[in-house]
Amino acid sequence: MTGPPPLHPGDGTAPTYGRLLLDHLLAGTPSGETPLTHVAEIPAREARYGDWPQWAPDPLVQAFRERGVDRPWSHQAEAAELAASGQHVVVSTGTASGKSLAYQLPVLGALAEDPHATALYLSPTKALGADQLKAVTELTSATDTLSTVCACAYDGDTSPEIRQWARRHSRWIFTNPDMLHLSLLPAHARWAHLWRRLRYVVVDECHAYRGVFGSHVALILRRVRRVARRYGADPVFVLASATTAEPGAAASRLIGAPCREVTEDGSPHGPRTVAMWEPPLLKDVTGEHGAPVRRAAGTEAGRLLADLVVEGARTLAFVRSRHGAELAAMGARRLLAEAAPDLVERVAAYRAGYLAEDRRELEAALSEGRLLGVASTNALELGVDIAGLDAVVVAGFPGTVASFWQQGGRAGRRGQGSLVVLVARDDPLDTYLVHHPQALLDRPVEATVTDPGNPYVLGPQLLCAASELPLSEDEVDEFGAREVLTDLADQGLIRRRPHGWFVAPGVEPHGDVEIRGGIGHQVAIVEADTGRMLGTVEAGRAPATVHPGAVHLHQGETFVVDELHLEDGIALVHAEDPEWSTSAREITDICCISVDEMHDHGAVTVASVSVEVSHRVVGYLRRLPSGEVLDQIILDMPEHTLPTRAVMYTIDPELLDRSGITAERVPGALHAAEHAAIGLLPLVATCDRWDIGGVSTDLHPDTGLPTVFVYDGQPGGAGFAERGFHRIARWLRATRDAVAACECAAGCPSCVYSPKCGNGNDPLDKAGAIVVLGAVLDAIEGSEPA
Ligand SMILES: [Zn+2]
Ligand SMILES: [Zn+2]
C-alpha cells in the first residue's frame, strides 16, 4: 500500500481540471481526516476513425452526418463490417462510445436493401429500449428508403391494437427477453413475417445477462435461433457490452454460437483523474457488539457533491438505494444553503420508476447546466443518455468493475479533464478496492458468468423449446440436455414421437418460468391497498427477505411487509420508508451431496461440491443507516431446503493449532474468514454478495474437519461458487488483504461483519481470520506450480 502521490506533478505540466477539482475536495475535508487513499491519472485518448462501409446506403450515411457523425469511429466501422459479412459480433467498449451506431448501421443497411427483411432488438430494461427506439425512429423518419421500417416497441405496456399492428407492419421490433419468452417465441406462428426474414438480432447491454437470469437468456436466444431456422432464417447477432474480459467468449456462451469481438475503442476522451476515498471511522457511533462504524458513503457523497457544485462542476453521484440518494441530495442542499444559497435549487435526486419524460427532462437539465448536481440510484446506469459531466462520485462500489466504468465513464467533456471519485462503503470489497486500487484500475473487467447447463434452468427451458417446436435429437445435444431430457421424460412431461420430442398434452411451461425471479415456486409481493404487484421473490428466499416486518426495497422505493402467506405464494406490503433496514436471523445447515472436483493441498483441501442447504428464519434485526442496531424481533418460520453448488475448503486442525489458532478461537476465525470471502467473491465472479451465502463450522459432519462453504443462493447454482473454486488463490488472497487492510481493532462492517449474517455476527475473530486465510493460502500456493 502506498500513499497518495504528490498532488501536483513536478514536471512543470499544468494540473488537469480533474486534479483541480480533487484539490478542492481535499481543501474542504475536515482536519484530522485523511480519506484519500489513492489517485490515478488516466491520460486522454485521441479519436480513431474508420470509413463508412461501401454497402451503407447514402441516405443513411447522410442521416448520420446530419446528426453530427461525420465519420464512424474505428470500433463502430469494424463491428458493422463484421456483422454485414455475416459474422456474429460483440462490441465491448466504454460508456458513451457510440455502440448503437455499430448495430444501427448494418441493421438499417439490411432493412433498406431488402424491403421484407426484419430485425429484433433486445434490452434488459424498458428505459434503454425506449431511448434506442427513439434514436432509430429519428433515423428512419429522416430517410425515405427506411420509411417502411416502422420500428416499434413490443413490451408489457404495449396495447393490444399496437401489438396487432406491430405483428403485421413493423420490421424492427424493440423488445426484451421476457416478451420473447412469453409471446414472440410461443406464438411464433403469428409472427411468421418477422421470423421468415429475420436478418439481425441486436442484444444490447448484454453484460447485464449474468447469473441465473443470464442462463435463462442464453437458452431463450438458443430458442430464437432454432425458431428462426425453422422459418428458413439465420439471423446475425450483434451484441453491445460494457467493457468486460473475454467479451467474445461470454457472447458466444450467451448466443450458443461463435462470436467475434471488437474491443479497440476509437472514441476520444479527455484526461481523467480517478480518486479512491475512504470515509473515516465515526468516533461516537458503534454498531453490533460495539464494532466501529464508518461515515456512510451516501453522507460523504452529499458533501463531495456540494463542494463540486460550488466549483461549478456538473456532477452525478451514484448511490445504491433511493433512500441513500435522497439523503445525499438533501445533505448537499443543506450544505449549499449555508455556503452558496443560490445553488440549492440546482441539486436534485433521481430514482428508478421515473417516467421517460421525467428522465429526458433530467438529462436535458444536466446537459444544459440548469442542474449542476444530481444524486441518483443505479437506475441511471442503463439507458440514460448523460455523458460529458465534469465529475462522477460513485458512493459504494457498484458490484462489478464493468458497472464502475459504466458510471465513471459519464465523466469527461470532450477534450477537457474530469474527476471520478469512488467513495468506499462500510463493506469488505470496498475496503479492499480503496486500498488495492490496482484491482480496479489496472485490471481488465470481469467476464460475465452464466451457466446455461444448470438443470433447474435447462429443464423448464427445454420444455418451452419443445412446446414451440418438437425437438430433434441433434437439438437435444445442441442444448446439452441429454440428462435433463431423460428426467423430463421420466416425469411424463415430454414424450418421444416419430418426429421428435413433444411436450405431453396439457403441459404449458412458459408461464411457470420466471426468467428474472430465478427458479421454482415464486411468492408475489403485492401492495395491499392498491393490489399493485411489485415483483416476485423465490419461495425459498421469502422467509428471509419478505417476512412480516421486513423492509423491502423495490426499484429504489421502500415498503414494509405486513403478511407473508407462503402456501398461497403472496406477501402483502404497504408503502413506508422507516429509517431502519431489516436483516433476518436464521439457522443454516449444509450437507454435501457429491464432490464434483477436488484439489488436495495436504493440510488443506479445496472442492467444488453439490450441497443441500437448509434454512430456518428465527427472527430479524432492525438497523439504522448508521449501523446501529435498534432491536431484535423473534419470528417462527418453516424450514426450507436449497439444492445448490458450493465451493468449500477444509483445514487440518493441526495446521490451525500450529498457526496459533487455539480450539476455542476456531469458530470465530472461520466465521470471519467466511464473511469476508463472501464480500470478496464479486471480485472474481460477476455476482452480488446477496447472490451467495456461506456456512462455516469447526467440525462438519461430512468432512470431519473445520470447513468453510460459500454457496450459490439459487437452486442448481449460478456458476459463482464454481468461479470461486477455479480462482480460489486470487479470491482468498484478496480476502486476506482486505481484512488486514482494515484499520479497525477487532472487526467492523468494512472487513468481517456481514449485513446478512444469520447468526448476528457472533462469534467473529478478525485476527484469527487473517491467520487462517494466510495458512490456507500457503498450503494452496505451496503445493501448486507458480
Ligand atoms: Zn474492519
Ligand atoms: Zn455469519
Side-chain angles (χ1 to χ4, degrees), residues 65-101:
R65 287 214 168 105
E66 279 159 18
R67 272 151 195 80
V69 185
D70 237 7
R71 291 171 71 191
W73 286 316
S74 53
H75 62 280
Q76 296 171 322
E78 187 187 349
E81 291 284 14
L82 282 167
S85 73
Q87 305 190 62
H88 305 304
V89 61
V90 57
V91 52
S92 171
T93 51
T95 312
S97 62
K99 288 185 283 261
S100 308
L101 192 140

Side-chain angles (χ1 to χ4, degrees), residues 333-659:
R333 289 165 68 110
R334 200 167 40 238
L335 290 167
L336 289 171
E338 290 164 24
D342 52 318
L343 291 175
V344 170
E345 292 308 317
R346 296 175 74 186
V347 172
Y350 173 84
R351 64 179 165 81
Y354 277 11
L355 299 172
E357 305 86 85
D358 296 341
R359 287 189 294 108
R360 298 225 170 85
E361 165 54 24
L362 187 101
E363 285 167 36
L366 251 184
S367 56
E368 288 158 20
R370 278 179 283 134
L371 273 181
L372 274 176
V374 169
S376 168
T377 57
N378 293 354
L380 264 182
E381 189 182 318
L382 289 176
V384 174
D385 190 19
I386 297 176
L389 297 163
D390 298 313
V392 169
V393 177
V394 180
F397 179 61
T400 63
V401 179
S403 294
F404 174 76
W405 288 118
Q406 185 108 339
Q407 298 182 347
R410 295 184 185 280
R413 263 191 270 188
R414 196 71 37 87
Q416 198 184 338
S418 64
L419 174 68
V420 179
V421 186
L422 173 66
V423 181
R425 266 182 315 170
D426 218 357
D427 157 302
L429 182 53
D430 284 27
T431 306
Y432 177 76
L433 292 175
V434 294
H435 290 285
H436 301 82
Q438 68 283 3
L440 181 60
L441 302 174
D442 302 346
R443 200 166 60 94
V445 297
E446 53 283 272
T448 45
V449 176
T450 52
D451 178 15
N454 178 334
Y456 293 83
V457 177
L458 186 50
Q461 286 283 346
L462 197 69
L463 276 184
C464 293
S467 85
E468 286 152 14
L469 294 166
L471 281 164
S472 69
E473 298 296 337
D474 284 353
E475 286 172 332
V476 172
D477 291 332
E478 216 173 291
F479 274 87
R482 199 44 71 183
E483 217 170 298
V484 167
L485 181 82
T486 311
D487 286 350
L488 295 174
D490 289 349
Q491 294 168 51
L493 295 168
I494 195 163
R495 294 176 182 176
R496 199 182 150 71
R497 300 258 172 89
H499 297 293
W501 292 87
F502 287 70
V503 289
V507 174
E508 288 175 11
H510 293 86
D512 294 336
V513 183
E514 290 275 348
I515 67 168
R516 289 173 197 258
I519 301 161
H521 177 48
Q522 302 287 313
V523 169
I525 303 166
V526 176
E527 192 176 23
D529 286 356
T530 59
R532 177 163 68 117
M533 177 152 145
L534 301 174
T536 59
V537 55
E538 267 172 66
R541 289 185 173 193
T545 53
V546 290
H547 56 76
V551 174
H552 174 73
L553 276 173
H554 172 71
Q555 296 204 334
E557 286 185 72
T558 313
F559 299 85
V560 173
V561 180
D562 298 309
E563 298 166 38
L564 170 62
H565 301 284
L566 275 173
E567 37 326 316
D568 302 329
I570 191 166
L572 296 174
V573 306
H574 68 271
E576 187 189 330
D577 197 359
E579 344 160 48
W580 59 83
S581 60
T582 54
S583 56
R585 285 287 187 92
E586 60 188 337
I587 297 171
T588 304
D589 274 319
I590 192 164
C591 71
C592 293
I593 306 297
S594 65
V595 176
D596 303 313
E597 215 179 330
M598 194 170 98
H599 293 156
D600 186 346
H601 303 285
V604 170
T605 303
V606 181
S608 172
V609 288
S610 296
V611 295
E612 199 160 87
V613 184
S614 60
H615 295 287
R616 199 163 68 81
V617 171
V618 293
Y620 66 95
L621 296 180
R622 299 195 300 169
R623 192 183 272 119
L624 294 174
S626 63
E628 204 174 335
V629 172
L630 279 178
D631 53 10
Q632 181 181 347
I633 291 157
I634 306 295
L635 287 173
D636 182 22
M637 308 288 282
E639 187 177 271
H640 170 79
T641 59
L642 168 77
T644 186
R645 304 277 303 274
V647 46
M648 59 162 255
Y649 60 87
T650 63
I651 315 164
D652 191 320
E654 273 177 35
L655 173 61
L656 290 172
D657 194 57
R658 274 205 311 277
S659 309

Side-chain angles (χ1 to χ4, degrees), residues 49 80 119 216 245 256 349 454 673 763:
Y49 293 97
H216 274 295
N454 178 334

